[in-house]
C-alpha cells in the first residue's frame, strides 16, 4: 500500500511517500501553505493521482506531555477535510520533536542553513511516515474526530 504523509505547517506542508510495499518512506516535496483546506486539497489532488496514494498519514502536533493544544485542533479539522474530500483512509500520527530530528539530520549531512529551510518539512514528513510504517500502520491511528485523552 502506498502512503502519503503530510507535515502541515502554517507556511509550508512537507510531503513524503512510501514505496508501493508500504515499507520505506522518502521525502517527496514541499507545497506552500497549510492553513486553508481548499488550497491544500487542490495541491494534493494531482499528487494523489500521480503517486497512486492509497492512504494518508497526517502529522499530529502534541505537546511533550502528550496533550493536544490549539494547533492539534487545527490539524484535526484539516484532516477531517482531507478525509471527506479524498475518501482515502486518513491516520493521525504523533509528530513530537520531529522537526528537531529532521533539522539535526540535515545538519549532520552538511546541508547549509538556507537549503535546510526548503528540505526540513519534507524530511520531517518522511521521518514521521517511516515511524508510522515501522509501527505496522496501526489501525488505532485512523482518524477519530475526537481528540485522544
Amino acid at each position: 500500500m502506498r502512503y502519503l504523509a503530510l507535515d502541515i505547517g502554517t507556511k509550508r506542508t512537507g510531503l513524503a511517500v512510501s514505496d508501493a510495499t508500504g515499507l520505506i518512506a522518502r521525502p517527496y516535496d514541499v507545497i506552500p501553505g497549510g492553513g486553508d483546506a481548499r488550497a491544500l486539497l487542490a495541491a494534493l489532488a494531482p499528487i494523489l493521482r500521480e503517486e497512486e496514494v492509497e492512504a494518508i498519514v497526517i502529522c499530529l502536533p502534541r505537546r511533550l506531555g502528550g496533550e493536544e493544544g490549539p494547533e492539534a485542533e487545527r490539524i484535526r479539522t484539516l484532516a477531517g477535510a482531507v478525509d471527506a474530500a479524498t475518501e482515502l483512509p486518513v491516520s493521525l500520527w504523533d509528530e513530537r520533536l520531529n522537526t528537531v530530528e529532521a533539522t539535526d539530520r540535515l545538519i549532520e549531512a552538511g546541508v547549509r542553513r538556507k537549503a535546510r529551510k526548503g528540505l526540513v518539512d519534507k524530511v520531517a514528513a518522511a521521518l514521521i511516515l517511516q515511524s508510522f510504517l515501522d509501527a505496522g500502520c496501526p489501525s488505532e491511528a485512523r482518524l477519530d474526530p475526537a481528540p485522544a485523552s
Side-chain angles (χ1 to χ4, degrees), residues 110-130:
V111 177
R112 292 180 178 253
R113 184 181 304 253
K114 276 189 175 183
R116 283 197 307 262
K117 188 173 186 178
L119 294 174
V120 71
D121 296 304
K122 65 183 176 180
V123 171
L127 291 172
I128 291 166
L129 181 55
Q130 191 63 57

Side-chain angles (χ1 to χ4, degrees), residues 47-60:
I47 296 167
L48 295 173
R49 282 190 304 277
E50 289 168 18
E51 292 298 322
E52 300 176 348
V53 172
E54 300 170 77
I56 299 170
V57 178
I58 298 179
C59 308
L60 181 66

